[in-house]
Amino acid sequence: MNAHALRALEFERVRDLLAERAVSPPGQERARQLAPLTDQSRAEALLQGVDEVVSLRLRRTSWPDLRFADLRPTLDQGRLEGAVLQPEQLLDVARCLEVACQVSDLFCTDEQRERRPHLALLAERLVVEREFPRRIERAFDPSGEMQDDASPALRSIRSQLMHCRREASKQLERLSRGLGGSGEETLVTLRGGRYVLSVAVSERRRLQGIVH
């Protein structure tokens, strides 16, 4: 098909509309790279897949959330010796595996293999890994912060840290009560991860430590 025919059919416009409806960056990229096929058998096979998706979508009231990130930069980084992935990257990997499991559960059934063989064949190529996403979700919250349940050792360490912080805060509060100047309030605050005790100027000489 020549360029004039493609312009007359507004092929690029149709392709852009398809890309806008894709919910993942790889899907959007793939949609924008589509080109007319010259192989009739290949085109008919793809159209069969489209028909199968449409027929299933019309029959179902719910549909999997297929959004996931572009993992190619993360995978390239993970192949480097000594590379360490950040929590956000691990969460993206877990999310992609969850999508693969949802798609597999939807299409890789005896009923779908019989009624929608093209989609079932495509879905069977997916990597189905269920334990890794569960482990990542236990280790990190959605913001990427490591959760206490990530390991027993971490839970114990954080419990000890909380106890030490409470004790340090109590000690500083007791100290602040004896350092307040006349008519001045002494406060205990946390700045840059360090406890700070505000004192009256007249009381500065009584303290040992860093005085700003």
Side-chain angles (χ1 to χ4, degrees):
M1 186 175 292
N2 59 42
H4 175 73
L6 291 178
R7 286 195 299 271
L9 293 172
E10 295 188 283
F11 179 77
E12 290 189 6
R13 176 57 177 160
V14 173
R15 190 169 54 186
D16 289 341
L17 289 173
L18 178 63
E20 290 173 4
R21 290 179 176 272
V23 295
S24 68
Q28 295 166 0
E29 180 180 319
R30 184 73 176 270
R32 292 191 174 95
Q33 293 174 347
L34 289 175
L37 295 176
T38 57
D39 185 339
Q40 182 177 344
S41 61
R42 174 61 176 160
E44 290 175 348
L46 292 176
L47 287 174
Q48 178 189 351
V50 173
D51 288 340
E52 292 176 1
V53 171
V54 172
S55 67
L56 181 61
R57 187 69 182 91
L58 293 174
R59 292 170 59 90
R60 292 180 60 90
T61 57
S62 62
W63 196 256
D65 181 359
L66 303 179
R67 290 173 294 179
F68 61 92
D70 185 352
L71 294 183
R72 286 172 293 185
T74 296
L75 295 177
D76 289 341
Q77 179 181 340
R79 294 187 183 98
L80 300 177
E81 184 177 355
V84 177
L85 298 182
Q86 298 301 310
E88 294 79 7
Q89 294 173 299
L90 294 173
L91 287 168
D92 285 342
V93 173
R95 172 59 190 159
C96 188
L97 291 173
E98 287 177 350
V99 170
C101 290
Q102 292 174 12
V103 173
S104 177
D105 291 342
L106 180 60
F107 294 120
C108 295
T109 65
D110 291 339
E111 178 185 1
Q112 299 303 340
R113 289 187 181 96
E114 181 179 351
R115 293 188 175 185
R116 299 172 179 88
H118 184 81
L119 293 181
L121 185 63
L122 290 175
E124 286 173 353
R125 296 165 54 187
L126 295 171
V127 174
V128 179
E129 168 57 51
R130 303 183 189 275
E131 182 57 28
F132 180 79
R134 295 192 188 105
R135 293 173 61 186
I136 294 300
E137 289 176 357
R138 288 196 297 267
F140 302 103
D141 65 20
S143 69
E145 291 293 327
M146 186 168 285
Q147 304 191 91
D148 292 346
D149 292 337
S151 72
L154 179 61
R155 188 185 306 112
S156 175
I157 291 171
R158 286 188 170 176
S159 178
Q160 294 176 28
L161 283 173
M162 289 180 62
H163 175 73
C164 290
R165 286 171 179 166
R166 286 195 295 267
E167 290 300 313
S169 180
K170 291 177 182 178
Q171 291 280 359
L172 287 169
E173 287 175 359
R174 284 195 290 267
L175 181 61
S176 69
R177 286 194 289 269
L179 292 174
S182 177
E184 296 189 29
E185 184 180 6
T186 303
L187 301 174
V188 178
T189 58
L190 193 64
R191 297 179 183 175
R194 297 179 180 180
Y195 283 104
V196 176
L197 180 64
S198 61
V199 299
V201 176
S202 60
E203 302 293 331
R204 292 175 61 181
R205 296 183 181 276
R206 295 176 54 188
L207 294 175
Q208 293 182 352
I210 299 174
V211 180
H212 293 282

